[in-house]
Amino acid sequence: MPQPITQALSSLGANLRLARERRGMTIRDLGAQINVSAPTIIKLERGDPSVSMAIYAAALHLYERLEWLPDLVDPQFDREALRIELAGIRPRPGRRR
């Protein structure tokens, strides 16, 4: 797995752990809330890439942060795709002044 991906997942996991701890929840508490085992929560909080996106989403939902997930790839924020689209636009023939 490329290092930028492992670093991003590790940061996400650390943030999820902090969110759990700040709420006074144990690993077992969180597992019970999102219906997964304690070992899965441990992997989640380590940013393990084998944890399904649905489990990350469940934790985000529990912490009232799920609404941010779709924005990660919202087309209006995809600058590279916009650049490609704009590069492909040809000027329309028009009247000369």
Side-chain angles (χ1 to χ4, degrees), residues 21-95:
E21 290 174 343
R22 291 176 73 190
R23 286 164 174 79
M25 297 174 73
T26 67
I27 288 171
R28 288 180 189 256
D29 292 337
L30 177 57
Q33 288 286 321
I34 63 173
N35 202 29
V36 299
S37 68
T40 299
I41 297 300
I42 292 168
K43 288 180 180 181
L44 171 87
E45 293 182 350
R46 289 182 180 159
D48 188 315
S50 70
V51 174
S52 80
M53 186 160 188
I55 295 171
Y56 282 102
L60 290 170
H61 177 66
L62 183 71
Y63 300 141
E64 298 179 8
R65 294 299 177 97
L66 185 61
E67 72 277 2
W68 293 2
L69 191 58
D71 291 341
L72 295 175
V73 292
D74 188 323
Q76 69 178 332
F77 303 122
D78 191 347
R79 292 183 184 146
E80 180 62 11
L82 181 59
R83 184 193 65 75
I84 292 167
E85 286 176 359
L86 291 175
I89 294 174
R90 307 260 187 263
R92 293 187 308 182
R95 293 187 257 174

